[in-house]
Amino acid sequence: RKLAEKFGVPIAIIDKRRPKANVMEVMSIIGDVKGKRCLMIDDMIDTAGTLCQGAQAIKDAGALEVYAGCTHAVLRGPAIERLKNSCINKLWYML
């Protein structure tokens, strides 16, 4: 919310649930992403499943482009391959 305020842009939230460990389901997108370039912010990317599913949900809701950023890029297991095959245009992370 603070980042959106700082840049004077609207915010959208991905409503998700975890039916079990390492499984995520997107329930809905709260906010309007249609026709917009979107930036997803996450604290950590482990296997990139949540990030890639969320990005696809945003794209399916009409976003033009999806970018992502995180502070902790663990990137283990299938993460790199998932990111390469995702709809994410660019990922920024700190090592």
Side-chain angles (χ1 to χ4, degrees):
R1 292 185 196 320
K2 292 286 185 189
L3 191 59
E5 280 178 24
K6 181 176 177 96
F7 289 111
V9 296
I11 187 171
I13 297 169
I14 298 172
D15 177 26
K16 67 179 184 179
R17 72 180 185 109
R18 291 191 180 277
K20 59 183 179 176
N22 293 323
V23 175
M24 188 277 287
E25 295 176 358
V26 172
M27 303 303 289
S28 63
I29 305 295
I30 302 165
D32 182 22
V33 297
K34 189 174 183 178
K36 296 185 171 111
R37 289 180 184 89
C38 298
L39 172 61
M40 295 177 63
I41 304 292
D42 205 348
D43 58 345
M44 182 177 73
I45 301 172
D46 186 7
T47 63
T50 298
L51 185 73
C52 292
Q53 278 185 283
Q56 189 59 56
I58 290 171
K59 194 77 168 164
D60 292 346
L64 296 175
E65 297 175 324
V66 180
Y67 297 88
C70 77
T71 54
H72 298 87
V74 177
L75 304 177
R76 69 180 176 99
I80 301 297
E81 197 61 34
R82 283 179 177 166
L83 289 165
K84 283 181 184 177
N85 294 322
S86 76
C87 64
I88 297 170
N89 294 80
K90 187 164 187 157
L91 169 66
W92 291 274
Y93 58 90
M94 298 177 73
L95 294 175

